[in-house]
Amino acid sequence: IRDIVPARFAVSSFDLDLDVLRDQIAALDAVSAVRVRIRPGGVLAVNVTERQPAVVWRGPAGTLLLDATGHRIAMVTARAARPDLPLIAGAGADARVGEALEILAAAGPLSGRVRGLVRVGERRWDLWLDRDQIVLLPEEDPVSALQQVLAMDEAQDLLSRNVTRIDMRNPARPTLRLAPAAAHALRQIRSLFME
């Protein structure tokens, strides 16, 4: 803020344009709100409310910190710079940070396994888990679809099985994709019963 304040001090408070100063400070990515005033004794007071990072976004412009509204806060050199924040990726993900945070909150029981959310076609999300498992969520009501997956996992340990994709794009008809080794074993078992 000191670098962008163009005034050289000591300056008469009548010569300061507080509106211009406020606009320049408010234009900083990390600033959510700013209040500029002259305090008694001619002291320039600048009160700033900083934006709080909510997610790390890998997008077309690089890796950025975004707040809960999707506003850019700062660029980061690597994902490892903020391992405490969830990762989102894909074009248009910055415009849907609120929805991403809802999905991540619903994924609470899986929080230790969540690697990130990927925005697909700027219309829906894929939830990436460790062990290369992906939950393909629908455009409408992705939280409900994720809750359905969590219920299936609780009832049948779905996510501990050798499943690579859980397709919930049509929540009325969940579809599973087995890992290649599991699919091969299933074909062998079926062939035994077909003979």
Side-chain angles (χ1 to χ4, degrees):
I1 292 173
R2 286 184 177 143
D3 290 343
I4 68 165
V5 174
R8 301 210 188 278
F9 297 101
V11 166
S12 168
S13 60
F14 295 109
D15 293 334
L16 286 174
D17 189 341
L18 297 182
D19 291 331
V20 169
L21 207 53
R22 180 177 31 258
D23 291 344
Q24 288 174 330
I25 295 169
L28 295 172
D29 286 332
V31 174
S32 174
V34 62
R35 183 172 170 224
V36 179
R37 62 187 174 96
I38 304 294
R39 290 195 337 218
V43 175
L44 176 64
V46 178
N47 295 328
V48 172
T49 303
E50 290 185 64
R51 293 183 186 280
Q52 297 302 312
V55 296
V56 175
W57 174 46
R58 280 192 188 145
T63 306
L64 304 171
L65 293 178
L66 304 178
D67 70 3
T69 67
H71 192 279
R72 173 194 159 121
I73 295 176
M75 189 152 214
V76 290
T77 55
R79 163 70 175 121
R82 288 305 300 263
D84 58 316
L85 296 176
L87 175 68
I88 64 174
D94 59 327
R96 303 301 291 258
V97 172
E99 184 179 52
L101 291 173
E102 288 176 20
I103 294 169
L104 291 166
L110 302 173
S111 62
R113 296 196 52 207
V114 173
R115 292 177 57 199
L117 275 175
V118 176
R119 189 79 176 154
V120 179
E122 296 189 38
R123 58 184 177 77
R124 63 171 203 82
W125 294 99
D126 283 350
L127 177 67
W128 285 64
L129 304 174
D130 62 355
R131 296 182 31 222
D132 293 324
Q133 290 180 319
I134 303 172
V135 180
L136 290 76
L137 298 170
E139 289 181 58
E140 300 296 324
D141 203 9
V143 171
S144 177
L146 179 56
Q147 290 169 341
Q148 190 176 344
V149 170
L150 292 172
M152 288 187 289
D153 182 50
E154 188 173 321
Q156 299 176 353
D157 291 326
L158 176 66
L159 295 171
S160 64
R161 297 177 187 268
N162 208 353
V163 174
T164 59
R165 305 283 183 277
I166 302 166
D167 190 343
M168 296 298 294
R169 290 177 289 180
N170 180 357
R173 187 174 176 208
T175 306
L176 305 178
R177 181 184 301 167
L178 298 175
H184 179 70
L186 183 61
R187 280 191 296 276
Q188 285 182 328
I189 292 170
R190 283 185 179 161
S191 70
L192 292 174
F193 290 105
M194 296 297 208
E195 295 177 356

